[in-house]
Amino acid sequence: MSCTRTFADVNPANGTVIAQVAEADESLVDAAVQAARKALRGEWGRLTVRERAARLRKVADGIEARFDCFVTAEVADTGKPIALASRLDVPRAAANFRAFADLISAAGLEAFQTETPDGQSALNYAVRKPLGVVGIIVPWNLPVLLLTWKLAPALACGNTVVVKPSEETPATATLLAEVMQQAGIPDGVYNVVHGFGPNSAGEFLTQHEDVNAVTFTGESQTGGAIMKAVAASLKPVSFELGGKNAAIVFADADFDEAVAGISEAAFLNTGQVCLCTERVYVESPIFDRFVDALAGKSGGLRVGSPMEKTTELGPLISSQHREKVLSYNRLAREEGATVVIGGGVPEFGNSLDRGFYVQPTIYTGLPESARSVKEEIFGPVCHIAPFDTEEEAINKANDTKYGLAASIWTTNLKRGHRVAQQMNVGITWVNCWFLRDLRTPFGGAGRSGIGREGGVHSLNFYSEPNNICIRL
Ligand code: NAD
Ligand code: 6OD
């Protein structure tokens, strides 16, 4: 099988081409789907749950055995700091496989003893069946973390997969194929096709008749396009989409903890995490002090080469994405923002000037109706606004079409609990952000997603119950 077209994989830190990547055409996507279908009928389909879980644990071991290769590949593709890839992305990839190996091993059956009209009984119990071939489409911001977050439960439930990584970050999905083979995952269970979305590998995959389900992480608008593509074949979908996440900081918050927490929530991965905070609401008595402290902390973040161990902020993923972020910076000024820090492009005087860097940026002074307060920017940019009452803060935080995540900062845990319950989002953190337990439901309300993954929610999406009723 050959691909006639290739595309360039670019290092965002300096604009150099890392690799030419083969773009899958429709026939290659079809071959991948057929390989996945065939593998369902082979050794993989006959493994017991215990055996499947053991192989997933070997995949986790295999990722750890090649830890440095994964880190290097992820850093080159994304430009994220090596320290971040080493503490978050690659460890989570291994943890995803272990977590779902444990979860599938412990998963119970739903069972009911049923009384029959003739006074006898029947036993109902539901067994989990794999869905079949699952199409997995993922973005570029946390490539191996987000891929394995879907891949591990899909495999744990006995499915086979065809994965379409982002065109911006093809490396770690490819590297994972070698780990899969070494871990004894049979051929055809894990298939990777590279390419773009519309009229390319992504669309060919979602439209394929033999793909049984599609799980997708990416922009809300892309979710809409995929929904149309799967409508005719009624495939189940799981969507993890965009966000315009709010943080609410009450005057009684632990001030330093809140400043550090919001700085991380706004700027981690150069603001390219779906959970990042782009709107901060701070209670009026501490507003000015908070803005100054956040500006001081965030303005001091070390922006530089991703390969430097001390770097805290790398570049954005591409020049196109940088142009989008800078266009929001221009828009925010037109809309009346006061620029507290940043707003432009840093200068290094070396090869990093060819990278796609922007400065961490904080605004104040925008009306809630401003487009830059309403639309997802997905860069190191946040807007801070004051509030006077709890009700006002809740209303402002909820005034969005998105509904992914929120964070609340207060030492009054009664209030934290009360406000958290009123957030129209899938995930609310109190006095923390992006603190994960892989057993918990993860996903978004509104335009931030459809369905939940995590723990039993993932097992429920990636499998189908077959209820068996035995008359006793
Ligand atoms: P994107 O939607 O542009 O692309 C995501 C993936 O979809 C890529 O692999 C792309 O090639 C593919 N794709 C694009 N159009 C397609 C189509 N018509 N059919 C099939 N596949 C298609 O998103 P992105 O720019 O890569 O990622 C950033 C976005 O992802 C942000 O909106 C961010 O909030 C969101 N995101 C959400 C979560 C979450 O968990 N909710 C996590 C990470 C990122
Ligand atoms: O932590 C996770 O499981 C997860 N899905 C994180 C998503 C981050 C968004 O960029």
Side-chain angles (χ1 to χ4, degrees):
M1 199 65 60
S2 66
C3 298
T4 49
R5 291 207 300 205
T6 59
F7 60 92
D9 179 15
V10 172
N11 182 336
N14 51 28
T16 56
V17 174
I18 305 165
Q20 290 295 332
V21 184
E23 181 183 353
D25 58 17
E26 200 161 2
S27 69
L28 193 70
V29 173
D30 180 55
V33 174
Q34 296 318 328
R37 186 141 296 285
K38 187 171 165 210
L40 284 169
R41 300 188 295 270
E43 181 200 357
W44 184 247
R46 293 189 295 273
L47 292 183
T48 64
V49 168
R50 200 156 56 113
E51 288 166 337
R52 272 205 312 268
R55 305 241 180 144
L56 295 193
R57 291 193 181 97
K58 279 195 180 164
V59 175
D61 295 344
I63 292 170
E64 284 170 352
R66 300 181 69 176
F67 190 88
D68 291 344
C69 293
F70 275 94
V71 168
T72 306
E74 204 70 316
V75 169
D77 259 4
T78 60
K80 69 178 63 208
I82 190 167
L84 180 61
S86 305
R87 84 166 183 272
L88 174 68
D89 301 69
V90 180
R92 253 302 293 280
N96 285 337
F97 281 99
R98 293 211 176 93
F100 286 103
D102 290 350
L103 281 157
I104 197 68
S105 304
L109 293 179
E110 209 179 344
F112 301 93
Q113 188 161 351
T114 308
E115 288 179 15
T116 55
D118 59 0
Q120 303 294 307
S121 68
L123 179 63
N124 278 284
Y125 63 100
V127 293
R128 276 182 198 284
K129 310 271 289 177
L131 297 171
V133 177
V134 177
I136 302 181
I137 301 179
V138 279
W140 44 258
N141 62 323
L142 307 170
V144 79
L145 185 160
L146 291 172
L147 165 59
T148 53
W149 170 242
K150 291 175 175 297
L151 173 62
L155 296 184
C157 290
N159 300 285
T160 60
V161 303
V162 179
V163 168
K164 212 295 281 167
S166 169
E167 55 275 26
E168 306 283 3
T169 53
T172 42
T174 310
L175 196 53
L176 192 58
E178 293 176 18
V179 170
M180 290 281 170
Q181 214 164 33
Q182 284 153 6
I185 304 293
D187 288 353
V189 172
Y190 175 76
N191 305 277
V192 182
V193 290
H194 290 295
F196 301 82
N199 199 28
S200 183
E203 193 174 293
F204 302 146
L205 185 59
T206 56
Q207 287 182 339
H208 201 293
E209 279 291 317
D210 278 337
V211 170
N212 300 97
V214 171
T215 178
F216 167 72
T217 302
E219 282 191 16
S220 302
Q221 210 182 341
T222 311
I226 293 177
M227 210 161 184
K228 278 192 196 145
V230 302
S233 52
L234 296 174
K235 295 185 211 324
V237 291
S238 175
F239 284 171
E240 297 181 329
L241 307 176
K244 186 74 183 177
N245 309 304
I248 301 177
V249 185
F250 287 98
D252 67 2
D254 179 318
F255 188 83
D256 293 340
E257 196 178 271
V259 169
I262 302 287
S263 181
E264 187 182 37
F267 300 117
L268 188 81
N269 207 34
T270 318
Q272 303 166 114
V273 177
C274 59
L275 308 161
C276 273
T277 301
E278 293 191 7
R279 297 179 296 140
V280 188
Y281 299 103
V282 181
E283 200 166 1
S284 294
I286 61 162
F287 181 79
D288 290 338
R289 190 172 148 234
F290 188 89
V291 172
D292 284 351
L294 189 69
K297 173 129 193 104
S298 308
L301 289 170
R302 284 182 293 270
V303 183
S305 165
M307 293 309 291
E308 286 290 332
K309 285 196 173 120
T310 54
T311 293
E312 292 168 295
L313 242 67
L316 294 169
I317 190 69
S318 62
S319 65
Q320 196 188 10
H321 188 51
R322 176 164 72 172
E323 189 38 48
K324 175 184 161 183
V325 172
L326 292 175
S327 77
Y328 273 103
N329 287 351
R330 289 191 291 273
L331 176 68
R333 286 191 182 93
E334 284 161 26
E335 291 180 313
T338 300
V339 182
V340 181
I341 56 164
V345 170
E347 284 178 18
F348 300 96
N350 57 34
S351 65
L352 298 181
D353 287 332
R354 292 193 293 277
F356 313 129
Y357 287 85
V358 291
Q359 294 166 327
T361 299
I362 298 176
Y363 302 121
T364 56
L366 285 169
E368 283 300 299
S369 58
R371 274 184 54 209
S372 34
V373 178
K374 285 277 167 279
E375 297 171 14
E376 181 185 49
I377 300 172
F378 214 56
V381 180
C382 72
H383 177 248
I384 318 184
F387 69 88
D388 292 313
T389 66
E390 189 176 302
E391 190 187 4
E392 180 192 351
I394 293 167
N395 288 340
K396 285 182 169 170
N398 282 338
D399 185 14
T400 170
K401 293 193 168 92
Y402 291 106
L404 187 57
S407 68
I408 295 158
W409 301 82
T410 174
T411 49
N412 178 345
L413 287 188
K414 275 194 177 167
R415 167 150 62 193
H417 178 63
R418 184 171 65 234
V419 175
Q421 290 186 85
Q422 294 177 77
M423 293 290 101
N424 296 335
V425 296
I427 309 139
T428 305
W429 280 289
V430 179
N431 296 328
C432 56
W433 175 77
F434 204 180
L435 180 59
R436 296 284 288 117
D437 179 328
L438 307 188
R439 297 166 298 182
T440 59
F442 186 96
R447 294 208 186 156
S448 290
I450 295 182
R452 294 290 183 274
E453 298 197 34
V456 72
H457 303 274
S458 295
L459 301 186
N460 288 345
F461 176 73
Y462 294 104
S463 65
E464 207 152 37
N466 171 10
N467 187 70
I468 299 169
C469 176
I470 304 181
R471 189 182 168 89
L472 298 174

